[in-house]
Amino acid sequence: MKEKINRYFTDDDRNEALNLYERYLLSKDKDIPVFGKNFYTPNIWTWFEKNLCSKNFKIQTNGFFEDAERRMISFNNIYESPFPMKLIKIENTSKFSTITHRDFLGGILSIGIERNKIGDLLVDKNICYVSVCEEIENFIIYNIDKISKVVCNVEVLDKIELLPTVAFKEEIVLVSSLRIDGIISKIVNVSRSKAQSMIEQGQVLINYVKVKDKSYELKGEEKITIRGFGKFILGDCIGNSKSGKIKIIIKKYT
């Protein structure tokens, strides 16, 4: 199975997946519940669910939010123990400043937190909700008082209130095919050659996996991450233009 992991995952995720596999083996060999130590991207936790889950060995994932992308993993959690994570609320106290998703993420990482120790961030009306590993809960509470020089209130939510849902901005683009280079060119408004260069340099991820083949054909509903530009979902084809081009809905995370 380690060889399968080595073949499937890229350098960025291979060590994370191999470390998680060791925890899976510990749980299976000792017949005990074991949790992963971090939040994992969809390409990792879906691989474990697909390849190692069985009727006799339960694998579960949780990221607090409905349809969370980054999730923690439990192996053989027969006692239904709570996942070792907390939900933190960071609220902007200023009526005159707006703080974005990028600002909140940057502020959290700037105090030395590794990205895999926090899950998804949902931002709504200057409030950020973020799931974090239980071990860093206090560190965040005591070390964040400002985001982008704006004073914020930070608290752990013991009672989970009604949370906002992920919001998207939709637009329709016209493409000649579903090749990744053409889609990227339209999404970020760059030339096709520039889009191909971005792909070859590893700036484009499909479902959190780098795709360096500029002729890769998208299939629909994939999550596209373009470093420096944001995250998108390739939506439905809604017909063709008079010139024969394909009309595609692109959803951008806001």
Side-chain angles (χ1 to χ4, degrees), residues 20 24 27 32-34 48 57-59 73-77:
L20 188 58
Y24 159 82
S27 175
I32 57 174
V34 174
F48 277 83
F57 190 87
K58 185 164 58 174
I59 296 178
I73 301 179
S74 69
F75 299 120
N76 197 30
N77 187 17

Side-chain angles (χ1 to χ4, degrees), residues 126-142:
N126 271 341
I127 299 175
C128 173
Y129 301 88
V130 54
S131 50
V132 307
C133 290
E134 195 172 56
E135 67 197 69
I136 66 168
E137 163 196 354
N138 289 332
F139 183 80
I140 288 180
I141 292 294
Y142 294 130

Side-chain angles (χ1 to χ4, degrees), residues 8-10 12-14 16-17 20 38-49 61 68-73 115-120 205-210 223 225 227 231:
Y8 181 81
F9 290 101
T10 62
D12 292 344
D13 297 322
R14 189 176 294 119
E16 190 94 270
L20 188 58
N38 303 317
F39 285 88
Y40 302 93
T41 52
N43 59 311
I44 293 180
W45 59 259
T46 54
W47 187 92
F48 277 83
E49 285 185 334
T61 62
E69 293 184 354
R70 292 177 179 266
R71 302 185 185 186
M72 298 194 87
I73 301 179
R115 182 62 183 91
N116 61 10
K117 292 298 179 183
I118 62 176
D120 291 4
L205 295 85
I206 305 299
N207 292 334
Y208 298 93
V209 178
K210 286 182 182 178
K223 292 182 174 65
T225 303
R227 287 177 175 161
K231 190 162 55 177

